[in-house]
Amino acid sequence: MKIEKIEVRRLHLPLKHAFETSFGVQTKRDFLLVSAHGEGETGYAESVAMPFPFYNEETTDTIIYMLETFLIPLVLTSPIERPEDVARLFAPIRRNNMAKAAIEGAVWDLYAKQKGMTLAQALGGERTEIEVGVSVGIEPSVEDVVQKVEGFVAEGYKKIKVKIKPGFDIALIEALRKRFGDSLPLMADANSAYTLEQIDIMKELDQYNLIMIEQPLAHDDIVDHAFLQNQLKTPICLDESIHTAEDARRAIELGSCKIINIKIGRVGGLTESKKIHDLCQAHNMPVWCGGMLESGIGRAHNIAITSLPNFTIPGDTSTSNRYWEQDIVVPEVAFLKPGILAVPDGPGIGYAINWSAVQALQVHEKSYTMADVKS
Ligand SMILES: O=C(O)CCC(=O)c1ccccc1C(=O)O
Ligand SMILES: [Mg+2]
């Protein structure tokens, strides 16, 4: 497949409401829209790093640097037959997974479009509909979260994930169980806010029939998580700790988790996401698709990967209107039925770009061809 030109646009997309996690607050999404052109088709993907290095080490600016200095020149000057070749090209470059994923994803979309397939089909996905949940941020009070959850339950979301941090944990879960009962599919995401010194809090959370506790301990740990998993009946789900299929293998062998959250950006792209999916499937470990407050482009990629068979737990791919007044895709991501998204049947990601919205949000644009990177 020929990749003739790559474009990078930086966009600032305002969030409807501030989104707070244990590591920080966001009021807008600062991300890159990457386009890969070849043979008359264009593939799209977005970068998912936060503007600050508090979730992982990458930021939007480190991604621009990596794309421009290393990744785009490699893609424009190397023979590429399939998207997996891009992952292979990038393998000697350590980490910078979200930078790699931003361009690898655009190549996957381009590949699917050149072959006249959906991205889901190109990835080997089978599902035509997926179940989704919603991630609810930290609010000033427990009652504020309960109210938000009320709205999402009414909308039909299949899983409710709430963010927790020390001092905003047990009382929150207790209030949610009291209000919605024991059958609400509820989980908590700590974003690494705890250590084993706070194991008593984890043991208390263990009493609330949560479907999982996501990343309670350090972002770079699988040893303490294994110890903790042994003490809990609630499954631990790893997010921040898993960057590769090798990380997943080690976590499975150690017993560090019972579930893995796959984020395409965190693991360096769709090729690695598929590998982790396949590995987990072989070990009877369910996976689900996490989110990074993506625009519709990232959402479309998340929907496509979720069509693979071992994505058996609803992911964080909520609808466009959960975060955006106006998304940058047409049509916007919306429920087919409550809590259910259709896997689109158009070529590639199956969503078109709303160019007037992009134009209005764009703060930077640059285009790269073979001639640019050689000079
Ligand atoms: O709705 C979403 O996109 C998921 C939101 C979310 O939970 C999240 C958002 C930003 C960074 C990390 C996380 C996380 O899953 O840990
Ligand atoms: Mg998480």
Side-chain angles (χ1 to χ4, degrees):
M1 56 188 298
K2 206 159 165 40
I3 299 163
E4 291 138 16
K5 184 172 75 172
I6 292 175
E7 288 170 307
V8 177
R9 293 180 170 83
R10 187 173 194 159
L11 272 60
H12 287 172
L13 182 55
L15 281 157
K16 269 186 180 173
H17 313 283
F19 189 80
E20 181 173 347
T21 54
S22 62
F23 58 75
V25 185
Q26 268 186 281
T27 55
K28 67 167 189 285
R29 197 69 183 92
D30 170 33
F31 69 101
L32 306 175
L33 172 61
V34 177
S35 318
H37 299 264
E39 296 165 28
E41 300 283 356
T42 309
Y44 301 101
E46 73 178 88
S47 69
V48 300
M50 304 275 108
F52 42 64
F54 307 147
Y55 167 79
N56 71 339
E57 72 282 7
E58 297 182 87
T59 68
T60 313
D61 286 294
T62 70
I63 293 189
I64 292 176
Y65 176 79
M66 288 304 295
L67 287 175
E68 190 161 300
T69 315
F70 298 107
L71 305 177
I72 290 175
L74 266 177
V75 167
L76 289 176
T77 58
S78 313
I80 292 166
E81 292 301 322
R82 294 187 45 89
E84 289 89 342
D85 296 340
V86 176
R88 243 192 308 277
L89 267 182
F90 291 169
I93 297 171
R94 294 192 176 164
R95 298 283 188 139
N96 291 284
N97 286 350
M98 291 176 175
K100 292 172 179 171
I103 183 159
E104 193 240 25
V107 175
W108 266 105
D109 182 31
L110 177 64
Y111 173 82
K113 285 168 175 164
Q114 288 179 350
K115 296 279 178 200
M117 289 189 277
T118 68
L119 179 58
Q121 287 164 346
L123 291 165
E126 293 156 11
R127 271 193 206 104
T128 57
E129 295 177 8
I130 61 165
E131 293 194 337
V132 295
V134 63
S135 174
V136 186
I138 292 166
E139 295 287 335
S141 75
V142 162
E143 190 44 40
D144 292 325
V145 178
V146 172
Q147 264 175 39
K148 288 246 147 125
V149 169
E150 192 133 17
F152 292 129
V153 168
E155 281 187 69
Y157 280 103
K158 302 286 185 189
K159 183 188 77 178
I160 302 291
K161 152 168 148 181
V162 293
K163 296 289 189 178
I164 57 168
K165 63 177 181 183
F168 199 79
D169 41 34
I170 310 289
L172 172 65
I173 299 300
E174 196 183 0
L176 290 167
R177 278 291 179 235
K178 205 164 159 202
R179 171 67 187 79
F180 301 101
D182 209 45
S183 61
L184 177 75
L186 180 65
M187 62 171 289
D189 184 2
N191 288 108
S192 297
Y194 299 83
T195 70
L196 279 182
E197 284 182 25
Q198 291 145 307
I199 195 163
D200 289 349
I201 298 175
M202 293 299 132
K203 285 185 174 165
E204 236 188 287
L205 286 176
D206 205 23
Q207 305 307 309
Y208 289 94
N209 193 33
L210 298 176
I211 48 186
M212 72 193 89
I213 301 174
E214 184 177 347
Q215 196 73 33
L217 307 177
H219 71 94
D220 54 358
D221 169 79
I222 55 170
V223 175
D224 288 356
H225 278 102
F227 178 86
L228 181 62
Q229 181 65 89
N230 240 303
Q231 310 280 311
L232 301 181
K233 54 181 191 281
T234 308
I236 289 177
C237 169
L238 288 177
D239 173 352
E240 281 89 332
S241 293
I242 305 296
H243 304 97
T244 61
E246 268 299 280
D247 285 348
R249 178 188 64 77
R250 294 184 192 110
I252 293 167
E253 281 185 20
L254 261 184
S256 314
C257 62
K258 291 182 177 163
I259 298 170
I260 288 178
N261 160 340
I262 295 180
K263 288 181 183 167
I264 302 164
R266 196 193 67 229
V267 305
L270 287 163
T271 307
E272 197 70 16
S273 298
K274 215 169 122 58
K275 266 195 210 162
I276 297 174
H277 164 274
D278 294 351
L279 177 80
C280 289
Q281 187 168 34
H283 286 85
N284 292 314
M285 181 179 285
V287 300
W288 56 278
C289 184
M292 290 293 289
L293 313 176
E294 290 92 344
S295 84
I297 296 296
R299 267 159 225 282
H301 283 258
N302 290 344
I303 293 168
I305 193 77
T306 305
S307 71
L308 296 179
N310 194 39
F311 281 85
T312 52
I313 298 171
D316 280 348
T317 308
S318 43
T319 54
S320 295
N321 70 1
R322 186 260 180 277
Y323 291 120
W324 320 120
E325 291 296 348
Q326 184 181 38
D327 204 336
I328 61 162
V329 292
V330 215
E332 297 210 347
V333 179
F335 285 149
L336 179 67
K337 296 167 255 183
I340 305 223
L341 297 174
V343 178
D345 51 19
I349 56 174
Y351 289 86
I353 304 266
N354 178 343
W355 285 111
S356 65
V358 169
Q359 232 91 68
L361 300 164
Q362 183 170 318
V363 295
H364 170 92
E365 171 179 7
K366 201 161 168 185
S367 153
Y368 306 81
T369 62
M370 178 95 106
D372 299 318
V373 302
K374 283 231 158 132
S375 59

